[in-house]
Amino acid sequence: MKKDLLTIRDFDSKDIDRILKRSAALKLLRKQGRSYQPLKGKSLGMIFEKSSTRTRVSFEVGMYQLGGQALFLSSNDLQLGRGEPIADTARTLSRYLDGIMIRTFAQLTVEELARHSAIPVINGLTDLHHPCQALADLFTIQEKKKKLKGLRFAYVGDGNNMAHSLIEACARTGMHISLACPAGYEPDAGVLQGAGQDAARTGAEIALTNDPFQAVRDADIVYTDVWASMGQEAEQAERVRAFQGFQVDGKLMKAAKAKALVMHCLPAHRGEEIAADVIDGPQSVVFDQAENRLHTQKAIMEMLMAGKR
Ligand code: CP
Ligand code: NVA
């Protein structure tokens, strides 16, 4: 049976463990300049309805390094953009490809695509989730802190797609997560409920506040993301007003542990959600995060498309 990655919760703790181990192994192989091509002769279709730098390039290069090829499919060029049903697109692409990565708006679109596809579907970001980024972030944290369980993860800012996948990732791996969001910008209730069930099993605590200092207190990791996500450009000015006091700056970082990691999925807006001296400072690991997208996604494709579980 094919397996998809639509949200973090599609991967059980054994899957996550394997992804983290394989990410490290694939990263080492790459460093040693050794070739490993389990996807020789296979093709990944990449449907993009939103912009991307990291996701596009890391999937495309990752697929090439694993011996396969990736096709960039802009929704403007696909018949999808002219109204061909998602189900027909899924059935058609399943006859040519070995996997589909999709970046789109509605999570329901990704679910529908997966339902009608005979091949694995990978969520490359929707308005609700960004599981590939969260898996790469787990790998980055484990590399730096040598563990996940029991760490204190603080998220400051918008209760958005990134927050949702991080909540799920923390809950699944036993990291405590504390989120500070302005009133009206809290995470999705359904995501919190689902993650709550995992947290009860792993011992993770999920806390929600409107006070960034409370969320960041004693944190091992301080994470933030843009205030206006792709598709919310019209709300930019209103959001800048609502998020005053939620910038990750030097003063806020003093509330965290001295060696806390500063994380951001990028792209970043310096001077808005994060101060320039913090994102460009010694605690920041944002470009390690960006690099690790490549290694983690290779591990994801190996698992889903070469059937290695
Ligand atoms: N973090 C991330 O997904 O970046 P892109 O939007 O550049 O793909
Ligand atoms: N929350 C951001 C993440 C970008 C990788 C967005 O959706 O635009």
Side-chain angles (χ1 to χ4, degrees), residues 25 90 217 229 240:
R217 191 169 306 139
S229 285
V240 167

Side-chain angles (χ1 to χ4, degrees), residues 51-56 103 130 133 230 265-267 293:
S51 305
S52 170
T53 296
R54 282 143 288 268
T55 305
R56 178 186 172 173
R103 166 168 289 197
H130 197 2
Q133 180 70 53
M230 289 181 277
C265 60
L266 304 177
R293 292 290 302 278

Side-chain angles (χ1 to χ4, degrees), residues 255-267:
K257 289 207 180 111
K259 289 196 173 152
L261 304 177
V262 169
M263 299 182 75
H264 192 308
C265 60
L266 304 177

Side-chain angles (χ1 to χ4, degrees), residues 54 56 60 74 77 86 88 96 106 134 153 187 205-206 220 222 230 247 257 280 300:
R54 282 143 288 268
R56 178 186 172 173
E60 193 161 334
S74 152
D77 304 329
I86 196 86
D88 289 357
Y96 305 132
F153 187 107
E205 290 160 18
I206 305 174
D220 297 287
V222 179
M230 289 181 277
Q247 184 182 91
K257 289 207 180 111
D280 298 320
I300 294 167

